[in-house]
């Protein structure tokens, strides 16, 4: 019997966990599989092992492990596979299938465009956009975020679109924001490439608040529960039905 395990990042912040759970529940309702569970990589429970065990106890013999992640980085390449190898060793009769993160998709970049439009602030000719990524030591992260920014540049009228990161990569969000402010742009649109709220978004909000007297800074909403995000995750689930085996 098939089971699906959604693996979300996890957060100490209750609001972030609830947002992720609510999102995944809405996707579950669109997937025609009886056994579906959610777990977290860190900072919350159930963890991966608990999620797998719950599915096995309910009768699952084939489990699709679906990472609820935006990009391919350390969690996807290392953390999940390493933990799954330990779990597999104790469950040799269970078949595990591994899905992909959402990756770079034009429909997701279009959400960033929508998030800018939702501010209802008309961009001026010299407006700047900062696409803010989580950051990772995996070089693919910078390639992906740069590709996303280039796509946003092509699909909007903005002439100045840059990237920055919240960890591990350069330039940092703080440095990029400071440079944008010092450069004298009449508007600075901050566009978080983050799925859910959490510590990182609060960090961005805090940095913006510290400059609250600067009306030029416009903070956009994160990707969140946009229908295109739900459709993208749903497709990743169905892709695992004929996939790469862990």
């Amino acid at each position: 019997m098939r089971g699906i395990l959604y693996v979300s990042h996890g957060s100490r912040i209750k609001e972030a966990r609830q947002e992720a759970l609510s999102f995944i529940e809405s996707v579950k309702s669109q997937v025609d599989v009886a056994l579906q569970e959610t777990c977290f990589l860190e900072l919350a429970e159930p963890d991966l092992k608990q999620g797998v065990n719950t599915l096995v106890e309910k009768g699952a013999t084939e489990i699709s492990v679906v990472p609820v992640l935006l990009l391919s980085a350390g969690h996807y390449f290392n953390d999940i596979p390493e933990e799954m190898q330990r779990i597999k060793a104790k469950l040799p009769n269970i078949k595990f299938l591994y899905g992909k993160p959402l990756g770079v998709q034009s429909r997701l970049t279009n959400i960033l465009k929508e998030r800018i439009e939702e501010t209802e602030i008309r961009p001026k000719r010299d407006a700047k956009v900062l696409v803010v990524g989580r950051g990772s030591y995996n070089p693919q992260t910078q390639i992906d975020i740069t590709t996303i920014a280039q796509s946003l540049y092509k699909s909007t009228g903005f002439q100045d679109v840059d990237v920055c990161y919240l960890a591990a990569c350069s330039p940092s969000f703080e440095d990029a924001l400071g440079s944008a402010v010092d450069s004298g742009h009449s508007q600075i649109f901050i566009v978080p490439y983050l799925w859910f709220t959490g510590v990182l978004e609060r960090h961005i909000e805090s940095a913006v608040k510290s400059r609250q007297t600067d009306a030029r800074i416009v903070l956009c909403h994160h990707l969140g529960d946009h229908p295109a995000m739900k459709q993208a995750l749903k497709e990743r689930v169905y892709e695992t039905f004929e996939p790469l085996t862990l």
Side-chain angles (χ1 to χ4, degrees):
M1 182 180 292
R2 187 187 303 280
I4 300 171
L5 183 61
Y6 299 85
V7 187
S8 189
H9 186 276
S11 174
R12 295 186 181 90
I13 298 175
K14 183 178 180 180
E15 178 188 357
R17 297 194 301 272
Q18 289 177 333
E19 184 181 7
L21 288 170
S22 176
F23 182 98
I24 294 169
E25 285 301 317
S26 67
V27 173
K28 285 181 182 179
S29 67
Q30 301 176 43
V31 175
D32 188 21
V33 174
L35 302 181
Q36 300 185 69
E37 296 292 332
T38 302
C39 69
F40 297 95
L41 271 173
E42 57 186 6
L43 306 174
E45 291 187 338
D47 61 18
L48 243 170
K49 181 180 178 180
Q50 292 169 326
V52 169
N53 286 340
T54 297
L55 286 170
V56 172
E57 289 168 4
K58 290 182 176 181
T61 56
E62 177 178 305
I63 298 175
S64 293
V65 179
V66 180
V68 185
L69 302 171
L70 285 173
L71 301 174
S72 301
H75 288 316
Y76 175 68
F77 289 118
N78 302 316
D79 299 336
I80 297 176
E82 288 172 4
E83 179 62 15
M84 288 307 304
Q85 288 303 318
R86 289 188 283 269
I87 293 170
K88 281 180 60 182
K90 296 182 179 180
L91 297 169
N93 296 323
I94 305 298
K95 182 179 180 180
F96 291 97
L97 309 167
Y98 196 24
K100 300 177 182 178
L102 298 193
V104 178
Q105 302 185 36
S106 59
R107 61 181 164 181
L108 306 189
T109 304
N110 289 338
I111 299 174
L112 301 184
K113 182 180 177 182
E114 288 185 35
R115 295 302 186 225
I116 294 172
E117 292 169 349
E118 287 169 356
T119 66
E120 298 185 345
I121 297 175
R122 186 173 182 177
K124 297 180 182 178
R125 189 175 183 83
D126 70 333
K128 184 180 186 70
V129 173
L130 285 177
V131 177
V132 188
R134 175 184 293 271
S136 166
Y137 291 109
N138 189 299
Q140 187 62 43
T141 296
Q142 288 180 290
I143 294 171
D144 289 345
I145 293 295
T146 298
T147 300
I148 290 163
Q150 290 172 343
S151 178
L152 188 62
Y153 170 81
K154 293 176 182 177
S155 65
T156 66
F158 289 98
Q159 298 302 306
D160 194 339
V161 180
D162 275 340
V163 302
C164 58
Y165 303 90
L166 295 163
C169 301
S170 297
S172 69
F173 167 62
E174 291 84 358
D175 288 348
L177 178 58
S179 177
V181 169
D182 293 342
S183 296
H185 294 277
S186 61
Q187 295 168 317
I188 304 165
F189 288 85
I190 298 172
V191 186
Y193 198 71
L194 301 174
W195 201 332
F196 306 118
T197 190
V199 171
L200 296 180
E201 184 176 53
R202 290 190 177 184
H203 177 74
I204 294 173
E205 292 170 349
S206 177
V208 172
K209 188 176 180 180
S210 70
R211 297 175 179 269
Q212 59 186 348
T213 57
D214 195 330
R216 296 177 296 165
I217 301 174
V218 181
L219 178 57
C220 302
H221 191 63
H222 57 272
L223 294 165
D225 64 351
H226 192 283
M229 297 295 293
K230 295 177 182 179
Q231 180 63 27
L233 183 60
K234 175 184 173 181
E235 289 175 12
R236 287 293 188 245
V237 171
Y238 278 105
E239 285 172 7
T240 66
F241 293 177
E242 295 181 3
L244 191 62
T245 302
L246 275 166

